[in-house]
Amino acid sequence: MSKRKIPVEKNQNYRAVVEDYTHEGWGVAKIEGYPIFIEGAMEGEEVTFKVFKSGKSFAQGKLTDIHQASPDRVPIQDPVYAQTGTMDLAHMSYPAQLKFKQGQVENALRRIGNLTEVQVQETLGMERPYHYRNKAQVPVRADAQGHLVTGAFRKKSHDLIPIEDFLIQDPVIDQTIIQVRQILEKYGVKAYNDRKNTGHIRHILVRRGHFTGDIMVVLVTRTPKLPHKQEIVGDLEATVAQLVSVVQNINPKKTNLVLGRKSQVLYRQDSYRDRVLNLEFNISHQSFFQVNSKQTESLYRTAIDLADIQAGDQIVDAYCGIGTLTLSLAKEADQVYGVEVVPQAVSDAIKNADLNQIKNVHFVQAKAEKWLVDQAKIGMHADLIFVDPPRKGLDSAFIEAAIQVRPRQIVYISCNPGTLARDLNKFTEANYQVSQVQPIDMFPQTHHVETVVLMTRK
């Protein structure tokens, strides 16, 4: 069988009409049936692009000219957002972003999950799709003069592009990052050099309670020693309004991971407070908390409303984090078990149950897949199972155990349509029917989408 000839050449310009999107929002054009992925191109547009990479299955092109623009195209506020990938859908109108995300979920369910008959609802969006992030972790580097600079890395590089207004972050967080950087500069703290693994400050991490205004500052350093530590904390206390926590996290390794394993509290405590669905939560610097507080409430309301929770129900909430959804479920059910592998998150969850005076919840520190397998072996009963796994989706052992437990409903919250579709296919093969699919826009201006799915046992 002869090799297929690739119909495009590297560094050459071509003209074509964009037919579709990749899951990351790149436009897809075809020449002789061969797909080219073009960043920033939109469906329906006629464009010229320059091929910069090609392979057996597809090529990648750089957009050079738009001959016929999509009516959904909007001006990009600043090219740096595209260069860093912090706002990779900023060229799309917001209604077009919501439609794109609905389409990505539909495509994944159809192509990966073989769920051709399932209807996907329109994406639930935000009234104001900017300034929503309640957490920022920005790298710190030095400019040519040795001054501290904060921003974001250029995509696929460690070249820092200075940014002070991220547009999708809480503006108070942006302001706080600048204040922290200026204080560190004042006391001569040296920026991290990732090539030589030298310097002091690697990242500035700021978290802010959307409903409380509480601010936590985390200084991620290479070394345990931070010069002028007491003076820095004193200036932060005097400068940053509603500061409730300063933590030094120590990461000595030459790694892309932001946080290290060791930390020490420099001011008050390692926690700040926020609210979800009228419940109070203490959140430590290592704990997972959804970055969009307003849409988190929409997400959890949707999950609870889709499920048919009845008096006397026993519920399992797997990958429960600090208990944000678990405690909301406990108000609706008889008993709720929250399962989480991260010890600090479980500790926070137990404290949050006490904080909200909720008694019918039990938190377990374990791998969700192992715990559910063990419980299934001893005949555990669960009426409903809620899952909110990481991007890699559910472990096969967890799915098998969940099927063995035989809940009447499973609510799956996912941040990855591909692994969601893969897992749903396994459940449908075991006599579960996908009843509702609701995408929710937790990350406006980016290609990421959260999805809530209700499965009902036939």
Side-chain angles (χ1 to χ4, degrees):
M1 186 176 177
S2 61
K3 276 188 175 182
R4 177 187 177 186
K5 186 174 183 297
I6 296 173
V8 298
E9 294 182 18
K10 190 176 178 181
N11 298 323
Q12 295 299 310
N13 290 328
Y14 298 89
R15 183 165 173 163
V17 174
V18 179
E19 302 176 13
D20 201 354
Y21 290 112
T22 70
H23 73 280
E24 292 182 326
W26 289 35
V28 181
K30 291 183 179 178
I31 293 179
E32 298 178 20
Y34 177 78
I36 303 98
F37 304 157
I38 310 159
E39 186 175 13
M42 294 183 63
E43 188 176 7
E45 292 184 332
E46 186 174 356
V47 300
T48 294
F49 56 90
K50 184 176 183 178
V51 173
F52 65 85
K53 185 178 181 181
S54 63
K56 293 180 181 179
S57 303
F58 64 90
Q60 291 176 297
K62 181 179 180 180
L63 183 65
T64 60
D65 201 2
I66 302 170
H67 306 289
Q68 184 177 337
S70 166
D72 293 317
R73 179 174 287 279
V74 296
I76 295 177
Q77 298 191 44
D78 192 317
V80 299
Y81 303 118
Q83 293 166 7
T84 58
T86 55
M87 290 172 40
D88 50 7
L89 297 189
H91 59 289
M92 289 186 188
S93 69
Y94 192 53
Q97 292 182 32
L98 299 179
K99 186 177 179 182
F100 161 77
K101 295 182 183 189
Q102 179 187 13
Q104 292 310 296
V105 177
E106 288 174 339
N107 290 342
L109 295 189
R110 184 176 68 253
R111 295 175 183 172
I112 301 171
N114 197 29
L115 299 168
T116 56
E117 305 299 321
V118 173
Q119 182 179 357
V120 177
Q121 301 299 313
E122 293 182 359
T123 310
L124 292 179
M126 297 186 72
E127 184 179 349
R128 296 181 180 85
Y130 292 95
H131 303 304
Y132 59 85
R133 285 188 63 94
N134 58 37
K135 173 186 174 182
Q137 49 188 37
V138 297
V140 185
R141 296 294 183 266
D143 64 14
Q145 290 74 42
H147 299 300
L148 300 185
V149 179
T150 51
F153 292 127
R154 190 184 302 277
K155 281 185 293 188
K156 298 181 180 179
S157 82
H158 279 191
D159 298 331
L160 188 89
I161 299 178
I163 301 177
E164 295 196 343
D165 181 358
F166 280 81
L167 288 181
I168 56 175
Q169 284 175 182
D170 182 332
V172 175
I173 289 180
D174 285 340
Q175 176 190 355
T176 302
I177 291 168
I178 296 170
Q179 291 171 326
V180 174
R181 187 188 71 210
Q182 290 172 342
I183 291 170
L184 295 174
E185 175 104 32
K186 173 183 173 181
Y187 290 103
V189 176
K190 300 298 182 184
Y192 180 64
N193 184 315
D194 56 335
R195 293 180 181 85
K196 299 178 180 179
N197 197 30
T198 58
H200 297 119
I201 186 73
R202 299 174 65 124
H203 282 77
I204 297 170
L205 190 153
V206 179
R207 305 180 79 159
R208 182 173 187 253
H210 176 81
F211 295 102
T212 63
D214 286 0
I215 290 182
M216 166 186 279
V217 172
V218 181
L219 304 174
V220 184
T221 62
R222 183 184 65 86
T223 57
K225 183 179 179 181
L226 175 64
H228 301 281
K229 187 181 298 184
Q230 290 183 331
E231 293 93 333
I232 289 168
V233 172
D235 279 14
L236 288 173
E237 184 181 6
T239 305
V240 179
Q242 292 188 268
L243 181 70
V244 299
S245 172
V246 180
V247 176
Q248 180 188 359
N249 179 279
I250 302 151
N251 185 357
K253 296 183 179 179
K254 193 173 183 179
T255 173
N256 291 332
L257 295 175
V258 173
L259 295 177
R261 293 184 177 181
K262 294 183 178 180
S263 61
Q264 55 181 321
V265 176
L266 305 184
Y267 176 70
R268 294 178 68 172
Q269 71 278 322
D270 180 5
S271 68
Y272 72 102
R273 188 170 290 189
D274 207 359
R275 289 192 290 273
V276 178
L277 296 178
N278 297 317
L279 294 171
E280 297 275 336
F281 292 92
N282 285 318
I283 306 149
S284 62
H285 85 280
Q286 290 267 20
S287 290
F288 173 78
F289 189 71
Q290 295 279 5
V291 299
N292 188 332
S293 298
K294 294 199 73 160
Q295 288 295 84
T296 297
E297 295 203 323
S298 295
L299 178 73
Y300 290 167
R301 280 198 196 98
T302 300
I304 293 168
D305 290 347
L306 286 181
D308 178 26
I309 302 175
Q310 300 172 9
D313 275 349
Q314 186 162 286
I315 297 177
V316 171
D317 179 21
Y319 310 93
C320 70
I322 63 171
T324 42
L325 177 58
T326 324
L327 298 183
S328 297
L329 291 169
K331 294 194 294 184
E332 310 284 335
D334 183 51
Q335 296 290 327
V336 181
Y337 291 86
V339 188
E340 171 58 50
V341 70
V342 179
Q344 184 60 56
V346 176
S347 176
D348 286 350
I350 293 169
K351 293 173 184 175
N352 288 328
D354 291 339
L355 178 65
N356 292 281
Q357 299 181 332
I358 293 176
K359 307 297 183 185
N360 61 328
V361 63
H362 314 276
F363 288 106
V364 181
Q365 194 257 305
K367 287 187 175 181
E369 52 270 24
K370 184 179 186 306
W371 181 83
L372 194 61
V373 168
D374 292 343
Q375 296 303 304
K377 287 178 181 176
I378 60 174
M380 178 197 183
H381 167 72
D383 299 287
L384 294 94
I385 294 178
F386 285 71
V387 293
D388 187 359
R391 290 190 61 79
K392 67 179 182 179
L394 294 172
D395 189 279
S396 295
F398 182 95
I399 294 175
E400 292 167 11
I403 292 166
Q404 188 176 338
V405 170
R406 299 185 76 247
R408 71 170 182 273
Q409 290 184 324
I410 300 170
V411 178
Y412 193 142
I413 299 173
S414 168
C415 61
N416 185 335
T419 55
L420 169 67
R422 178 202 67 198
D423 294 345
L424 293 184
N425 180 264
K426 295 177 183 177
F427 281 111
T428 57
E429 290 176 350
N431 214 32
Y432 278 87
Q433 179 178 351
V434 177
S435 307
Q436 298 274 356
V437 181
Q438 180 61 71
I440 296 176
D441 192 17
M442 296 285 286
F443 317 99
Q445 315 306 322
T446 80
H447 71 273
H448 300 288
V449 60
E450 202 90 1
T451 311
V452 182
V453 176
L454 172 67
M455 289 177 280
T456 305
R457 195 178 74 235
K458 293 181 183 177

